Amino acid sequence: MKKLPAIIVSVAIGLTVLAGYFFQAELSTVLSLIVDWGILLAGVAGLIGLGYLAQYHLTRLMKREKGAFFSLITLLVFLFTLVAGLTLTTQNPFYRNLILNVQVSVEASLLAVLAVTLMFASLKLIRTRGWTPMSVGFLISALISLVLNLGVGMTESGTVLGELVAFWRRLPIVGARGILLGMAIGGLIVGLRILLGMHRPYGEE
Amino acid sequence: MNDLIWGVVGLLLTIMILSYLIGDNVFFRFAAHIFIGLTAGFVAVMLINQILIPYFVTPIVTGGWQQWLWMLIPLGLILLLVMGQWSKFASAGSIPLAYLAGLTAAVAVGGAVFGTLIPQARAVIEAFDPAGWYAVPGRSWLRVMDALVMLVGVIGTLSYFHFGKRRSTDDVVESPDPPRLMRALGKIGQVFIGITLGAVFASVFSSALIALIDRVLFVGEIILKLIGGG
């Protein structure tokens, strides 16, 4: 009985938004209100999530657990970025430099580390997964795609070789299309289960 | 001078992160925690500036009494969401979460049907359009092959993700082996999934390699500037 109000809210909001796909003109005002409030709630939920992050590091710092120094660094940088962003605004040159130079440097470097990690992981693939249709398809496709990405085999589209290269380039779309359809069917089923109140991710089942 | 200082900051962070290649170490963790703190702070600023102020503060400050009344609903939901973080009032948080779940589910259903299922299924069907087959004379066999590969590949991929369940008479859920045809199609699907993941891997690897080259060039450039050669 305790869950009933939550189920009513979930089903009512879901069905109204779903009805909006068919009665756009009639429901546009209500839909815009529902979506705006949803965005606001998601934003507040995001801030609560960040609050939990800060609380976690604060607890680690207070209890002087292992890695408390790194928690202190995280908290100091977090507070500095937050206060500077709110007082100086995000358009301030110092703030822009701070975000760009730290974020871009770290993200690009992490991507660079990924190149090496990926290379070692791909070399270990057969040892860990064995010779399966998927691992064979993966290796052949990765090798051919890397060679094609280098510009090798660039021929005019009219020739047979050109057509075959174009056919190979279209081949990954087949699997991607199957994966997308599978994801959409999965999303559709989960969505319908929530809308019918059979699945309740907002509280205990 | 200003650029050089920021360049040195970028250089130090780059070296700290790249030091992970020789193993997990204190410098990598230091840079990673700076990144976590900075990103969290920036996200908080963006959430306040882009969502909280325009969707909540501005309507209250600039709107009339009618707008005020309307804003009582999201205000109530926000209060319930915040209250729900205390274990004593945990159940209060289920209403705003139910609101978000209902909204997300409806958007996901609409997106899945109108954004993915219909367009992707149509693309598979349209590959069998005879007008497309004969558009380029002498190449119709390639179009037919394209269409067949597309159909078999998509069905195979979907078959691979078939996780059938059966409820027996005593209400126990069983996972029986899929039919032989489904298993055979699943094997074909595996090849196509492998090909797709291989192509994705190649793209990500190429991008990561470009990032690695860019970082090495950046480090060289800043060091040259520091020693006065740049």
Side-chain angles (χ1 to χ4, degrees):
Chain A
M1 203 59 191
K2 233 173 155 183
K3 294 174 228 161
L4 197 64
I7 296 172
I8 292 172
V9 168
S10 172
V11 172
I13 294 294
L15 291 181
T16 310
V17 175
L18 217 51
Y21 284 106
F22 304 101
F23 308 105
Q24 273 180 354
E26 291 83 355
L27 291 172
S28 63
T29 322
V30 182
L31 278 181
S32 118
L33 267 181
I34 288 175
V35 173
D36 282 0
W37 294 345
I39 292 170
L40 181 58
L41 269 182
V44 173
L47 285 174
I48 290 173
L50 290 172
Y52 273 114
L53 178 82
Q55 190 196 26
Y56 167 76
H57 284 290
L58 203 60
T59 312
R60 216 161 72 147
L61 188 65
M62 297 295 226
K63 289 185 179 171
R64 297 184 182 225
E65 287 175 15
K66 198 182 165 198
F69 170 71
F70 295 119
S71 288
L72 176 70
I73 298 292
T74 307
L75 280 173
L76 286 177
V77 176
F78 171 66
L79 285 175
F80 178 74
T81 317
L82 179 65
V83 173
L86 293 177
T87 50
L88 299 174
T89 77
T90 49
Q91 300 307 315
N92 181 279
F94 168 77
Y95 195 75
R96 283 166 71 97
N97 270 328
L98 175 76
I99 298 297
L100 282 176
N101 284 290
V102 175
Q103 260 193 337
V104 170
S105 294
V106 175
E107 282 174 4
S109 305
L110 285 172
L111 197 60
V113 171
L114 186 71
V116 181
T117 317
L118 278 178
M119 200 175 73
F120 281 110
S122 64
L123 291 174
K124 280 185 185 168
L125 177 75
I126 297 296
R127 208 188 310 158
T128 52
R129 303 281 297 184
W131 293 97
T132 62
M134 196 184 287
S135 60
V136 173
F138 178 89
L139 277 182
I140 294 172
S141 168
L143 280 174
I144 296 179
S145 299
L146 279 171
V147 171
L148 289 178
N149 284 353
L150 290 172
V152 179
M154 292 265 273
T155 48
E156 284 177 35
S157 59
T159 62
V160 176
L161 183 67
E163 291 284 355
L164 286 175
V165 169
F167 173 73
W168 178 264
R169 284 193 184 280
R170 282 196 297 273
L171 218 46
I173 298 171
V174 180
R177 197 156 272 161
I179 293 170
L180 274 176
L181 281 169
M183 280 167 62
I185 293 168
L188 180 66
I189 291 166
V190 173
L192 287 176
R193 280 175 66 84
I194 292 172
L195 291 181
L196 296 172
M198 292 162 73
H199 182 57
R200 296 184 282 275
Y202 37 81
E204 66 277 22
E205 292 288 308
Chain B
M1 192 62 194
N2 204 18
D3 282 351
L4 189 67
I5 292 169
W6 285 117
V8 171
V9 171
L11 170 79
L12 289 174
L13 287 169
T14 300
I15 292 171
M16 283 177 184
I17 294 289
L18 290 181
S19 72
Y20 185 75
L21 292 174
I22 53 168
D24 193 9
N25 61 70
V26 71
F27 298 110
F28 172 77
R29 284 192 207 166
F30 184 78
H33 280 81
I34 287 179
F35 179 63
I36 294 167
L38 185 110
T39 308
F42 184 59
V43 169
V45 171
M46 293 313 277
L47 285 174
I48 292 167
N49 283 345
Q50 305 289 328
I51 295 181
L52 215 58
I53 292 174
Y55 286 92
F56 189 66
V57 179
T58 311
I60 289 177
V61 174
T62 57
W65 66 272
Q66 255 185 330
Q67 192 113 24
W68 263 80
L69 284 178
W70 275 115
M71 289 316 286
L72 284 177
I73 297 172
L75 179 66
L77 289 169
I78 290 172
L79 286 176
L80 287 173
L81 189 63
V82 175
M83 271 169 67
Q85 307 313 309
W86 281 274
S87 51
K88 208 173 170 185
F89 309 105
S91 58
S94 66
I95 300 217
L97 290 179
Y99 183 100
L100 280 176
L103 178 62
T104 316
V107 172
V109 166
V113 174
F114 300 113
T116 309
L117 278 176
I118 294 174
Q120 294 299 334
R122 185 178 281 169
V124 177
I125 295 164
E126 275 174 1
F128 284 90
D129 181 9
W133 290 356
Y134 300 110
V136 183
R139 293 275 185 269
S140 52
W141 62 273
L142 204 63
R143 301 282 163 266
V144 176
M145 197 172 79
D146 242 359
L148 287 174
V149 168
M150 179 73 77
L151 186 68
V152 174
V154 169
I155 293 174
T157 308
L158 287 173
S159 305
Y160 176 68
F161 290 116
H162 174 266
F163 301 110
K165 297 249 186 216
R166 191 170 53 198
R167 198 179 288 273
S168 64
T169 44
D170 49 350
D171 217 35
V172 177
V173 178
E174 296 170 342
S175 304
D177 277 344
R180 202 176 289 170
L181 176 69
M182 197 72 100
R183 267 182 285 164
L185 281 168
K187 286 258 191 277
I188 298 171
Q190 275 194 52
V191 177
F192 281 98
I193 294 170
I195 290 172
T196 304
L197 296 181
V200 171
F201 172 85
S203 305
V204 174
F205 184 71
S206 304
S207 310
L209 212 57
I210 290 167
L212 181 61
I213 294 164
D214 171 72
R215 284 296 93 189
V216 172
L217 286 175
F218 172 78
V219 168
E221 190 186 316
I222 296 296
I223 289 174
L224 270 179
K225 265 189 194 169
L226 281 174
I227 59 174

